[in-house]
């Protein structure tokens, strides 16, 4: 008696043949009794009904199944690996005047649109964009980081880079002067500088004389009149 077997119809099934870089996927074999998988360097095992695949790049896996008569069937499956998105803060920090807006520039890669979570001293906010780079406009002081980014492939990653924004109070120029009612018998006026949040000053005395860079200058007027004095702090 000669038994002639039919090559088994071997098949590979998986819940999702598309993964993100660093993820794993289960591969299930069916149709035979014994199984050999290749290439096996990114598999949990080179034999068995179920193996775990962790490929670094898109990889074609070949399954060879043998039945009880020794007949062999094969099947193959490509596991596609999508790279992780990246988000790197490259510029935008520095000194900011109160009321102005910083523009934190984030260089991104991956499949748009992107969703990012950015942190300012631990306080997080979210935004979405389809453009690279992503620009975060903010008036808030603090250290900016990107703890999370995801793309349209549903892959996610941790961002990199930091920028610090230092928000300064706007200077306030405040003038007082003595005497309160100067006249030609007492024409010297002492200007008192009560400005805050400032460190350089330009005085214009309103009589076409040279400006002064002193903190609290004195100025002598030579004619009666009304003069507009301007302090730029």
């Amino acid at each position: 008696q000669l038994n002639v077997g039919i090559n088994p119809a071997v098949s590979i099934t998986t819940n999702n043949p598309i993964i993100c870089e660093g993820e794993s996927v289960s591969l299930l074999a069916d149709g035979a009794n014994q199984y050999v998988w290749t290439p096996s360097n990114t598999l949990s095992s080179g034999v068995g009904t179920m193996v775990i695949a962790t490929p670094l790049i898109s990889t074609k896996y070949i399954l060879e199944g043998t039945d009880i008569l020794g007949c062999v069937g094969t099947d193959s499956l490509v596991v596609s690996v999508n790279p992780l998105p990246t988000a790197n803060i490259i510029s935008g920090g520095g000194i900011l005047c109160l009321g102005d807006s910083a523009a934190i520039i984030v260089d991104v890669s991956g499949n748009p649109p992107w969703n990012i979570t950015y942190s300012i001293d631990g306080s997080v906010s979210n935004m979405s964009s389809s453009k690279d780079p992503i620009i975060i406009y903010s008036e808030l002081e603090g250290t900016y980081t990107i703890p999370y980014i995801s793309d349209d492939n549903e892959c996610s990653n941790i961002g990199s880079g930091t920028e610090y924004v230092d928000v300064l109070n706007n200077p306030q120029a405040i003038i007082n002067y003595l005497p309160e009612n100067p006249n030609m018998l007492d024409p010297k006026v002492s200007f008192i500088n009560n400005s805050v949040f400032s460190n350089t000053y330009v005085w214009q005395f309103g009589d076409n004389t040279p400006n002064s860079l002193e903190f609290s200058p004195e100025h002598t007027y030579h004619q009666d009149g009304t003069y507009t004095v301007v302090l730029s702090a």
Side-chain angles (χ1 to χ4, degrees):
Q1 176 175 321
L2 178 63
N3 292 325
V4 179
I6 299 174
N7 290 334
V10 175
S11 64
I12 304 173
T13 58
T14 181
N15 57 351
N16 187 4
I18 303 174
I19 63 174
C20 299
E21 182 181 348
E23 292 181 345
S24 299
V25 62
S26 299
L27 304 180
L28 300 175
D30 189 37
N33 298 91
Q34 296 179 345
Y35 304 98
V36 177
W37 301 83
T38 56
S40 61
N41 59 321
T42 55
L43 297 175
S44 58
S45 175
V47 297
T49 303
M50 185 186 76
V51 295
I52 305 298
T54 312
L56 300 178
I57 60 175
S58 297
T59 302
K60 181 179 180 179
Y61 292 101
I62 299 175
L63 172 65
E64 183 180 279
T66 305
D67 65 11
I68 57 175
L69 296 179
C71 297
V72 177
T74 61
D75 192 17
S76 64
L77 176 73
V78 174
V79 176
S80 299
V81 180
N82 290 321
L84 298 182
T86 63
N88 180 33
I89 296 178
I90 56 177
S91 64
I95 296 175
L96 191 68
C97 294
L98 187 65
D100 291 341
S101 179
I104 306 298
I105 299 177
V106 185
D107 187 24
V108 294
S109 71
N111 189 26
W114 296 276
N115 296 311
I116 69 168
T117 299
Y118 64 92
S119 170
I120 308 174
D121 288 344
S123 178
V124 298
S125 300
N126 301 298
M127 67 178 299
S128 299
S129 178
S130 296
K131 296 182 179 180
D132 176 27
I134 295 175
I135 301 178
I136 302 171
Y137 295 101
S138 175
E139 300 178 354
L140 300 179
E141 180 176 277
T143 300
Y144 288 71
T145 59
I146 306 293
Y148 179 82
I149 178 174
S150 64
D151 65 3
D152 199 49
N153 291 332
E154 298 184 355
C155 296
S156 61
N157 200 2
I158 299 173
S160 60
T162 62
E163 283 288 333
Y164 180 74
V165 174
D166 185 13
V167 179
L168 302 181
N169 290 311
N170 290 327
Q172 299 178 31
I174 303 173
I175 301 174
N176 287 319
Y177 64 93
L178 292 174
E180 293 183 0
N181 298 296
N183 53 56
M184 293 311 299
L185 297 176
D186 188 13
K188 180 181 290 187
V189 180
S190 296
F191 291 100
I192 303 169
N193 188 343
N194 291 323
S195 303
V196 293
F197 307 126
S198 53
N199 56 13
T200 60
Y201 310 93
V202 178
W203 293 85
Q204 300 174 10
F205 299 111
D207 58 354
N208 295 321
T209 57
N211 297 338
S212 172
L213 304 181
E214 297 181 34
F215 179 76
S216 292
E218 293 183 343
H219 186 72
T220 300
Y221 290 91
H222 299 287
Q223 293 183 352
D224 287 330
T226 299
Y227 300 93
T228 299
V229 178
V230 177
L231 169 60
S232 298

